[in-house]
Coordinates of all heavy atoms in Angstrom, one line a residue:
M1 N 138.0 69.3 14.8 CA 139.2 68.5 14.8 C 138.9 67.1 14.5 O 138.1 66.5 15.2 CB 139.9 68.7 16.2 CG 141.2 67.9 16.3 SD 142.0 68.0 17.9 CE 142.5 69.6 18.0
P2 N 139.6 66.4 13.6 CA 139.4 65.0 13.3 C 139.8 64.2 14.6 O 140.6 64.5 15.3 CB 140.4 64.7 12.2 CG 140.8 66.0 11.6 CD 140.6 67.0 12.7
A3 N 139.1 63.0 14.7 CA 139.3 62.2 15.8 C 140.7 61.7 16.0 O 141.1 61.4 17.1 CB 138.3 61.0 15.7
D4 N 141.4 61.5 14.8 CA 142.8 60.9 14.9 C 143.8 62.0 15.0 O 145.0 61.7 14.9 CB 143.0 60.0 13.7 CG 142.9 60.7 12.4 OD1 142.3 61.8 12.4 OD2 143.3 60.2 11.4
A5 N 143.4 63.3 15.0 CA 144.4 64.4 15.1 C 145.1 64.4 16.5 O 144.5 64.1 17.5 CB 143.7 65.7 14.9
P6 N 146.4 64.7 16.5 CA 147.1 64.8 17.8 C 146.5 65.9 18.7 O 146.1 67.0 18.1 CB 148.5 65.0 17.4 CG 148.5 65.6 16.0 CD 147.2 65.1 15.4
R7 N 146.5 65.7 19.9 CA 146.0 66.7 20.9 C 147.1 67.1 21.8 O 148.0 66.3 22.2 CB 144.8 66.1 21.7 CG 143.6 65.9 20.9 CD 142.5 65.4 21.8 NE 142.8 65.5 23.2 CZ 142.1 65.0 24.2 NH1 141.1 64.3 24.0 NH2 142.5 65.2 25.5
W8 N 147.1 68.3 22.2 CA 148.1 68.8 23.2 C 147.7 68.2 24.6 O 146.5 68.0 24.9 CB 148.0 70.3 23.3 CG 149.0 70.9 24.3 CD1 150.3 71.2 24.1 CD2 148.7 71.1 25.7 NE1 150.8 71.6 25.3 CE2 149.8 71.6 26.3 CE3 147.5 71.0 26.5 CZ2 149.9 71.9 27.6 CZ3 147.6 71.3 27.8 CH2 148.8 71.8 28.4
H9 N 148.7 67.9 25.4 CA 148.4 67.4 26.7 C 149.4 68.0 27.7 O 150.6 68.3 27.2 CB 148.6 65.8 26.7 CG 148.1 65.2 28.0 ND1 148.9 65.1 29.1 CD2 146.9 64.8 28.4 CE1 148.2 64.5 30.1 NE2 147.0 64.3 29.6
P10 N 149.1 68.2 28.9 CA 150.1 68.7 29.9 C 151.4 67.9 30.0 O 152.4 68.5 30.4 CB 149.3 68.7 31.2 CG 147.9 68.7 30.8 CD 147.8 68.0 29.5
F11 N 151.4 66.7 29.6 CA 152.7 65.9 29.5 C 153.7 66.7 28.7 O 154.9 66.6 29.0 CB 152.5 64.6 28.8 CG 152.3 63.4 29.8 CD1 151.1 62.7 29.7 CD2 153.2 63.1 30.7 CE1 150.9 61.6 30.6 CE2 153.0 62.1 31.6 CZ 151.9 61.3 31.5
M12 N 153.2 67.4 27.7 CA 154.2 68.1 26.8 C 154.9 69.3 27.5 O 155.9 69.7 27.1 CB 153.4 68.6 25.6 CG 152.9 67.5 24.7 SD 152.0 68.2 23.3 CE 151.7 66.7 22.4
D13 N 154.3 69.8 28.6 CA 154.9 70.9 29.3 C 155.6 70.4 30.6 O 156.0 71.2 31.4 CB 153.8 71.9 29.7 CG 153.5 72.8 28.6 OD1 154.2 72.8 27.6 OD2 152.4 73.4 28.6
A14 N 155.7 69.1 30.8 CA 156.3 68.6 32.0 C 157.8 68.2 31.8 O 158.0 67.5 30.8 CB 155.5 67.4 32.5
V15 N 158.6 68.7 32.6 CA 160.0 68.4 32.6 C 160.4 67.6 33.8 O 160.2 68.0 34.9 CB 160.8 69.7 32.5 CG1 162.3 69.4 32.5 CG2 160.4 70.5 31.4
E16 N 160.9 66.4 33.6 CA 161.3 65.5 34.8 C 162.7 65.7 35.1 O 163.6 65.4 34.4 CB 161.0 64.0 34.5 CG 161.3 63.2 35.7 CD 161.1 61.7 35.4 OE1 161.0 61.3 34.2 OE2 161.1 60.9 36.4
S17 N 162.9 66.4 36.3 CA 164.3 66.6 36.8 C 164.1 67.1 38.2 O 163.5 68.2 38.4 CB 165.1 67.5 35.9 OG 166.4 67.7 36.5
P18 N 164.6 66.5 39.2 CA 165.2 65.2 39.3 C 164.2 64.1 39.0 O 163.0 64.3 38.9 CB 165.7 65.1 40.7 CG 164.8 66.0 41.5 CD 164.4 67.1 40.5
P19 N 164.7 62.8 38.9 CA 163.8 61.7 38.7 C 162.7 61.6 39.7 O 162.9 61.8 40.9 CB 164.7 60.5 38.8 CG 166.0 61.0 38.4 CD 166.1 62.4 39.0
G20 N 161.4 61.4 39.2 CA 160.3 61.4 40.1 C 159.6 62.7 40.4 O 158.6 62.8 41.1
V21 N 160.2 63.8 39.9 CA 159.6 65.1 40.1 C 159.4 65.8 38.7 O 160.4 65.9 37.9 CB 160.5 66.0 41.0 CG1 159.9 67.4 41.1 CG2 160.7 65.4 42.3
W22 N 158.2 66.1 38.4 CA 157.9 66.7 37.1 C 157.5 68.2 37.3 O 156.7 68.5 38.2 CB 156.7 66.0 36.4 CG 157.1 64.7 35.9 CD1 157.5 64.3 34.6 CD2 157.0 63.5 36.7 NE1 157.7 63.0 34.6 CE2 157.5 62.4 35.8 CE3 156.7 63.1 38.0 CZ2 157.6 61.1 36.2 CZ3 156.8 61.8 38.4 CH2 157.3 60.8 37.5
T23 N 158.2 69.1 36.6 CA 157.9 70.5 36.7 C 157.1 71.0 35.5 O 157.4 70.7 34.4 CB 159.2 71.3 36.8 OG1 160.0 70.8 37.9 CG2 159.0 72.8 36.9
M24 N 156.0 71.6 35.8 CA 155.1 72.1 34.7 C 155.6 73.5 34.4 O 155.8 74.4 35.2 CB 153.6 72.2 35.2 CG 153.1 70.9 35.9 SD 152.8 69.6 34.7 CE 151.5 70.3 33.8
V25 N 155.7 73.7 33.1 CA 156.3 75.0 32.6 C 155.2 75.7 31.7 O 154.6 75.0 30.8 CB 157.6 74.7 31.8 CG1 158.2 76.0 31.3 CG2 158.6 74.0 32.7
D26 N 155.0 77.0 31.8 CA 154.1 77.7 31.0 C 154.7 78.1 29.6 O 155.9 77.7 29.4 CB 153.5 78.9 31.7 CG 154.5 80.0 32.0 OD1 155.6 80.0 31.4 OD2 154.2 80.9 32.8
S27 N 154.0 78.8 28.8 CA 154.4 79.2 27.5 C 155.6 80.1 27.5 O 156.3 80.2 26.5 CB 153.3 79.8 26.7 OG 152.8 81.0 27.3
E28 N 155.9 80.7 28.6 CA 157.1 81.6 28.7 C 158.3 81.0 29.3 O 159.3 81.6 29.6 CB 156.7 82.9 29.4 CG 155.7 83.7 28.6 CD 155.3 85.0 29.3 OE1 155.8 85.3 30.5 OE2 154.6 85.8 28.7
G29 N 158.1 79.7 29.7 CA 159.2 78.9 30.3 C 159.3 79.0 31.8 O 160.3 78.5 32.4
D30 N 158.3 79.6 32.4 CA 158.3 79.8 33.9 C 157.6 78.6 34.5 O 156.5 78.2 34.0 CB 157.5 81.1 34.3 CG 158.2 82.3 33.8 OD1 159.5 82.3 33.7 OD2 157.5 83.2 33.4
A31 N 158.1 78.0 35.6 CA 157.5 76.9 36.3 C 156.3 77.4 37.0 O 156.3 78.4 37.7 CB 158.5 76.3 37.2
Y32 N 155.2 76.6 36.9 CA 154.0 77.0 37.7 C 153.5 75.9 38.6 O 152.7 76.1 39.5 CB 152.9 77.4 36.7 CG 152.3 76.4 35.8 CD1 151.3 75.5 36.2 CD2 152.8 76.3 34.5 CE1 150.8 74.6 35.3 CE2 152.3 75.3 33.6 CZ 151.3 74.5 34.0 OH 150.8 73.5 33.2
G33 N 154.0 74.7 38.4 CA 153.5 73.6 39.2 C 154.5 72.4 39.2 O 155.3 72.3 38.3
T34 N 154.3 71.5 40.2 CA 155.1 70.3 40.3 C 154.2 69.1 40.6 O 153.2 69.2 41.2 CB 156.2 70.4 41.3 OG1 155.6 70.7 42.6 CG2 157.2 71.5 41.0
V35 N 154.7 68.0 40.2 CA 154.1 66.7 40.5 C 155.2 65.8 41.0 O 156.2 65.7 40.4 CB 153.4 66.0 39.3 CG1 152.9 64.6 39.6 CG2 152.2 66.9 38.8
R36 N 155.0 65.1 42.1 CA 156.0 64.3 42.7 C 155.4 62.9 42.9 O 154.2 62.7 43.3 CB 156.4 64.7 44.1 CG 157.0 66.1 44.1 CD 157.4 66.5 45.6 NE 157.7 67.9 45.6 CZ 158.9 68.4 45.2 NH1 159.8 67.6 44.8 NH2 159.1 69.7 45.3
I37 N 156.2 61.9 42.6 CA 155.8 60.5 42.8 C 156.0 60.2 44.3 O 157.0 60.6 44.9 CB 156.5 59.5 41.9 CG1 155.8 58.1 42.0 CG2 158.0 59.4 42.2 CD1 156.3 57.2 40.9
V38 N 155.0 59.6 45.0 CA 155.2 59.3 46.4 C 154.7 57.8 46.7 O 154.0 57.2 45.9 CB 154.3 60.2 47.3 CG1 154.8 61.6 47.2 CG2 152.8 60.1 46.9
R39 N 155.3 57.3 47.7 CA 154.9 55.9 48.1 C 154.4 56.0 49.6 O 155.1 56.6 50.4 CB 156.1 55.0 48.0 CG 155.7 53.5 48.5 CD 156.9 52.6 48.4 NE 157.4 52.5 47.1 CZ 156.9 51.6 46.1 NH1 155.9 50.9 46.4 NH2 157.5 51.5 44.9
I40 N 153.2 55.5 49.8 CA 152.6 55.5 51.1 C 152.3 54.0 51.4 O 151.3 53.5 50.9 CB 151.4 56.4 51.3 CG1 151.8 57.8 50.9 CG2 150.8 56.3 52.7 CD1 150.6 58.8 50.8
G41 N 153.1 53.4 52.2 CA 152.9 51.9 52.4 C 153.2 51.2 51.1 O 154.2 51.4 50.4
A42 N 152.2 50.4 50.6 CA 152.4 49.7 49.4 C 151.8 50.5 48.2 O 152.0 50.1 47.1 CB 151.7 48.3 49.5
E43 N 151.1 51.6 48.4 CA 150.5 52.4 47.4 C 151.5 53.4 46.8 O 152.3 54.0 47.5 CB 149.4 53.2 48.0 CG 148.3 52.4 48.6 CD 147.2 52.0 47.5 OE1 147.1 52.8 46.5 OE2 146.6 51.0 47.7
V44 N 151.5 53.5 45.5 CA 152.3 54.5 44.8 C 151.3 55.5 44.1 O 150.3 55.1 43.6 CB 153.1 53.8 43.7 CG1 153.9 54.9 42.9 CG2 154.1 52.9 44.3
G45 N 151.6 56.8 44.3 CA 150.7 57.8 43.7 C 151.5 59.1 43.4 O 152.7 59.1 43.4
Y46 N 150.8 60.1 43.1 CA 151.4 61.4 42.7 C 150.7 62.5 43.5 O 149.5 62.5 43.7 CB 151.2 61.6 41.2 CG 151.8 60.5 40.4 CD1 151.1 59.4 40.1 CD2 153.1 60.6 40.0 CE1 151.7 58.3 39.4 CE2 153.7 59.6 39.3 CZ 153.0 58.5 38.9 OH 153.6 57.5 38.2
V47 N 151.5 63.5 43.9 CA 151.0 64.7 44.6 C 151.3 65.9 43.8 O 152.5 66.0 43.3 CB 151.7 64.8 46.0 CG1 151.3 66.1 46.7 CG2 151.4 63.6 46.9
G48 N 150.3 66.7 43.6 CA 150.5 67.9 42.7 C 150.5 69.2 43.5 O 149.7 69.3 44.5
E49 N 151.3 70.2 43.1 CA 151.3 71.5 43.7 C 151.2 72.5 42.7 O 151.8 72.4 41.6 CB 152.6 71.7 44.5 CG 152.7 70.8 45.7 CD 154.1 71.1 46.4 OE1 154.9 71.9 46.0 OE2 154.2 70.5 47.5
L50 N 150.5 73.6 43.0 CA 150.5 74.8 42.1 C 151.1 75.9 42.8 O 150.6 76.4 43.9 CB 149.0 75.1 41.7 CG 148.9 76.4 40.8 CD1 149.5 76.2 39.5 CD2 147.4 76.7 40.7
R51 N 152.2 76.4 42.4 CA 153.0 77.5 43.0 C 153.2 77.2 44.5 O 153.0 78.1 45.3 CB 152.3 78.8 42.8 CG 152.2 79.2 41.3 CD 151.6 80.6 41.1 NE 151.5 80.9 39.7 CZ 150.3 80.8 39.0 NH1 149.2 80.5 39.6 NH2 150.3 81.1 37.7
G52 N 153.6 76.0 44.8 CA 153.9 75.6 46.2 C 152.7 75.2 47.0 O 152.9 74.8 48.2
Q53 N 151.5 75.4 46.5 CA 150.3 75.0 47.3 C 149.7 73.7 46.8 O 149.6 73.4 45.6 CB 149.2 76.1 47.1 CG 149.6 77.5 47.6 CD 149.9 77.5 49.1 OE1 149.1 77.0 49.8 NE2 151.0 78.1 49.4
P54 N 149.4 72.8 47.8 CA 148.9 71.5 47.4 C 147.6 71.6 46.5 O 146.7 72.4 46.8 CB 148.6 70.8 48.7 CG 149.1 71.6 49.7 CD 149.4 73.0 49.2
V55 N 147.5 70.7 45.5 CA 146.3 70.8 44.6 C 145.6 69.4 44.8 O 144.3 69.5 44.8 CB 146.8 70.9 43.1 CG1 145.6 70.8 42.2 CG2 147.5 72.2 42.9
G56 N 146.3 68.3 44.9 CA 145.6 67.0 45.1 C 146.5 65.9 45.0 O 147.8 66.0 44.8
R57 N 145.9 64.7 45.1 CA 146.6 63.4 45.0 C 145.9 62.5 44.0 O 144.7 62.5 43.9 CB 146.6 62.7 46.3 CG 147.4 63.4 47.4 CD 147.2 62.6 48.7 NE 148.0 63.3 49.7 CZ 149.0 62.7 50.4 NH1 149.4 61.5 50.1 NH2 149.7 63.4 51.3
W58 N 146.8 61.8 43.2 CA 146.2 61.0 42.1 C 146.9 59.7 42.0 O 148.0 59.6 42.6 CB 146.3 61.7 40.8 CG 145.6 63.0 40.7 CD1 144.3 63.1 40.2 CD2 146.0 64.3 41.0 NE1 143.8 64.4 40.3 CE2 144.9 65.2 40.8 CE3 147.2 64.8 41.5 CZ2 145.0 66.5 41.0 CZ3 147.2 66.2 41.8 CH2 146.2 67.0 41.5
R59 N 146.4 58.7 41.3 CA 147.0 57.4 41.2 C 147.8 57.3 39.9 O 148.6 56.4 39.8 CB 145.9 56.3 41.2 CG 145.3 56.2 42.6 CD 144.3 55.0 42.5 NE 143.6 54.9 43.8 CZ 144.0 53.9 44.7 NH1 144.9 53.0 44.4 NH2 143.4 53.8 45.9
T60 N 147.6 58.2 38.9 CA 148.3 58.1 37.7 C 149.0 59.4 37.4 O 148.5 60.5 37.8 CB 147.4 57.8 36.5 OG1 146.5 58.9 36.3 CG2 146.7 56.5 36.7
L61 N 150.1 59.4 36.7 CA 150.9 60.6 36.4 C 150.0 61.4 35.4 O 150.0 62.7 35.6 CB 152.2 60.2 35.7 CG 153.1 61.4 35.2 CD1 153.4 62.3 36.4 CD2 154.3 60.8 34.5
R62 N 149.3 60.8 34.5 CA 148.5 61.6 33.5 C 147.4 62.4 34.3 O 147.3 63.6 34.1 CB 147.8 60.6 32.6 CG 146.9 61.3 31.6 CD 146.2 60.3 30.7 NE 145.4 60.9 29.7 CZ 145.8 61.1 28.5 NH1 147.0 60.7 28.0 NH2 145.0 61.7 27.6
A63 N 146.7 61.8 35.2 CA 145.7 62.5 36.0 C 146.3 63.6 36.8 O 145.7 64.7 37.0 CB 144.9 61.5 36.8
S64 N 147.5 63.4 37.4 CA 148.1 64.4 38.3 C 148.5 65.6 37.4 O 148.3 66.8 37.8 CB 149.3 63.8 39.0 OG 150.3 63.4 38.1
L65 N 149.1 65.4 36.2 CA 149.5 66.5 35.4 C 148.2 67.3 34.9 O 148.2 68.5 34.9 CB 150.3 66.0 34.2 CG 151.7 65.4 34.5 CD1 152.3 64.8 33.3 CD2 152.6 66.4 35.1
E66 N 147.2 66.5 34.6 CA 145.9 67.2 34.2 C 145.4 68.0 35.3 O 144.9 69.2 35.2 CB 144.9 66.2 33.7 CG 145.3 65.6 32.4 CD 144.3 64.5 31.9 OE1 143.4 64.1 32.7 OE2 144.4 64.1 30.8
G67 N 145.4 67.5 36.6 CA 144.9 68.1 37.7 C 145.6 69.5 38.0 O 145.0 70.5 38.3
V68 N 146.9 69.4 38.0 CA 147.7 70.6 38.2 C 147.5 71.6 37.1 O 147.3 72.8 37.4 CB 149.2 70.3 38.3 CG1 150.1 71.6 38.4 CG2 149.5 69.4 39.6
H69 N 147.4 71.2 35.9 CA 147.1 72.1 34.8 C 145.8 72.7 34.9 O 145.6 73.9 34.6 CB 147.3 71.4 33.4 CG 147.2 72.3 32.2 ND1 148.2 73.3 32.0 CD2 146.2 72.5 31.3 CE1 147.8 73.9 30.9 NE2 146.6 73.5 30.5
H70 N 144.8 72.0 35.2 CA 143.4 72.5 35.4 C 143.4 73.6 36.5 O 142.7 74.6 36.4 CB 142.4 71.4 35.7 CG 142.1 70.6 34.4 ND1 140.8 70.6 33.9 CD2 142.8 69.9 33.6 CE1 140.8 69.9 32.8 NE2 142.0 69.4 32.7
A71 N 144.1 73.3 37.6 CA 144.2 74.3 38.7 C 144.9 75.6 38.2 O 144.5 76.7 38.6 CB 145.0 73.7 39.9
F72 N 145.9 75.4 37.3 CA 146.6 76.6 36.7 C 145.6 77.4 35.9 O 145.6 78.6 36.0 CB 147.8 76.1 35.9 CG 148.5 77.2 35.2 CD1 149.2 78.2 35.9 CD2 148.6 77.1 33.8 CE1 149.9 79.2 35.2 CE2 149.3 78.1 33.1 CZ 149.9 79.1 33.8
I73 N 144.9 76.7 35.0 CA 143.9 77.4 34.2 C 142.8 78.1 35.1 O 142.5 79.3 34.9 CB 143.2 76.4 33.2 CG1 144.2 75.8 32.3 CG2 142.1 77.1 32.5 CD1 144.9 76.8 31.4
A74 N 142.4 77.4 36.1 CA 141.3 78.0 37.0 C 141.9 79.2 37.8 O 141.1 80.1 38.1 CB 140.8 76.9 38.0
S75 N 143.2 79.2 38.0 CA 143.8 80.4 38.8 C 143.7 81.7 38.0 O 143.9 82.7 38.5 CB 145.2 80.1 39.2 OG 146.1 80.1 38.0
H76 N 143.4 81.6 36.7 CA 143.3 82.8 35.8 C 141.9 83.4 35.8 O 141.7 84.4 35.3 CB 143.7 82.5 34.4 CG 145.2 82.2 34.3 ND1 145.7 80.9 34.5 CD2 146.2 82.9 34.0 CE1 147.0 81.0 34.4 NE2 147.4 82.2 34.0
G77 N 140.9 82.7 36.4 CA 139.6 83.1 36.3 C 139.2 83.8 37.6 O 140.0 84.1 38.5
P78 N 137.9 84.1 37.7 CA 137.4 84.8 38.9 C 137.5 83.9 40.2 O 137.4 82.7 40.1 CB 135.9 85.0 38.6 CG 135.5 84.1 37.5 CD 136.8 83.8 36.8
R79 N 137.7 84.5 41.3 CA 137.9 83.8 42.5 C 136.5 83.7 43.2 O 135.6 84.4 42.8 CB 138.8 84.7 43.5 CG 140.2 85.0 42.9 CD 141.0 83.7 42.9 NE 142.4 84.0 42.5 CZ 142.8 84.0 41.3 NH1 142.1 83.7 40.3 NH2 144.1 84.2 41.0
P80 N 136.5 82.8 44.2 CA 135.2 82.6 44.9 C 134.8 84.0 45.6 O 135.7 84.7 45.9 CB 135.5 81.6 46.0 CG 136.6 80.8 45.4 CD 137.4 81.8 44.6
F81 N 133.5 84.2 45.7 CA 133.0 85.4 46.3 C 133.5 85.6 47.7 O 133.4 84.8 48.5 CB 131.5 85.4 46.3 CG 130.8 86.6 46.9 CD1 131.0 87.8 46.2 CD2 130.1 86.6 48.0 CE1 130.4 89.0 46.7 CE2 129.5 87.7 48.5 CZ 129.7 88.9 47.9
Q82 N 134.1 86.8 47.9 CA 134.8 87.1 49.2 C 133.9 87.9 50.1 O 134.3 88.3 51.2 CB 136.1 87.8 49.0 CG 137.1 87.0 48.2 CD 137.6 85.8 48.9 OE1 137.9 85.9 50.1 NE2 137.7 84.7 48.3
G83 N 132.7 88.2 49.7 CA 131.8 89.1 50.5 C 131.9 90.5 50.1 O 132.8 90.9 49.3
Y84 N 130.9 91.3 50.4 CA 131.0 92.7 50.0 C 131.9 93.5 50.9 O 132.0 93.2 52.1 CB 129.5 93.3 50.1 CG 128.6 92.7 49.1 CD1 127.6 91.8 49.5 CD2 128.7 93.0 47.8 CE1 126.7 91.2 48.6 CE2 127.8 92.4 46.9 CZ 126.9 91.5 47.3 OH 126.0 91.0 46.4
P85 N 132.6 94.5 50.4 CA 133.5 95.3 51.2 C 132.7 96.2 52.2 O 131.6 96.5 52.0 CB 134.2 96.2 50.1 CG 133.3 96.2 49.0 CD 132.6 94.9 49.0
D86 N 133.4 96.4 53.3 CA 132.7 97.3 54.3 C 133.3 98.7 54.2 O 134.4 99.0 54.5 CB 133.1 96.7 55.7 CG 132.4 97.5 56.8 OD1 131.6 98.4 56.5 OD2 132.7 97.3 58.0
F87 N 132.4 99.6 53.6 CA 132.8 101.0 53.4 C 132.6 101.9 54.6 O 132.9 103.1 54.5 CB 132.1 101.5 52.1 CG 132.5 100.8 50.9 CD1 131.6 100.1 50.1 CD2 133.8 100.9 50.4 CE1 132.0 99.4 49.0 CE2 134.2 100.3 49.2 CZ 133.3 99.6 48.5
R88 N 132.1 101.4 55.7 CA 131.8 102.2 56.8 C 133.1 102.6 57.6 O 133.1 103.6 58.3 CB 130.9 101.5 57.8 CG 129.5 101.3 57.2 CD 128.7 100.4 58.1 NE 129.2 99.0 58.0 CZ 128.8 98.1 58.8 NH1 128.0 98.3 59.8 NH2 129.3 96.9 58.7
A89 N 134.2 101.9 57.4 CA 135.4 102.2 58.2 C 136.1 103.4 57.6 O 136.1 103.8 56.6 CB 136.3 101.0 58.1

C-alpha cells in the first residue's frame, strides 16, 4: 500500500448519538462497543466498553476508538487458557 493511500480507521464505524457518546458498528450494522467522553475533575478523557464490559480509559478519542476496536478483534480469537476439564465427575 502506498504511504499516501487512505487507510481505514475505527472512526469510520463510529456514530455519535447522543453528543459525547460514540457507538461502534460492525459490518452488518450491529453495535459492538461504545466510547463516552467523561470529565473527572479538570481532566477530560474517554471510557470504552465492548458489549457493556469496560475495556479501558484513554486521553484521546482516536486512541479510545482504536482500543475498543482492538478489543472487538481480540474477542474473535482464542480465549486465555481455562485449565483442563475434569472428566472424573
Side-chain angles (χ1 to χ4, degrees):
M1 176 184 293
D4 60 346
R7 293 182 11 192
W8 178 88
H9 190 273
F11 264 121
M12 296 178 173
D13 283 344
V15 178
E16 184 181 14
S17 180
V21 179
W22 290 264
T23 302
M24 308 288 294
V25 182
D26 66 14
S27 60
E28 296 182 353
D30 298 324
Y32 65 85
T34 58
V35 172
R36 298 177 194 285
I37 191 168
V38 295
R39 181 181 298 276
I40 301 172
E43 298 273 331
V44 175
Y46 301 87
V47 175
E49 294 180 354
L50 177 67
R51 297 184 183 104
Q53 298 299 313
V55 175
R57 294 174 178 243
W58 296 270
R59 292 183 181 255
T60 66
L61 178 58
R62 180 183 183 99
S64 62
L65 293 171
E66 288 176 351
V68 172
H69 185 70
H70 285 245
F72 176 62
I73 297 297
S75 74
H76 291 84
R79 304 289 188 265
F81 181 64
Q82 300 293 316
Y84 293 106
D86 184 5
F87 294 115
R88 294 175 287 170

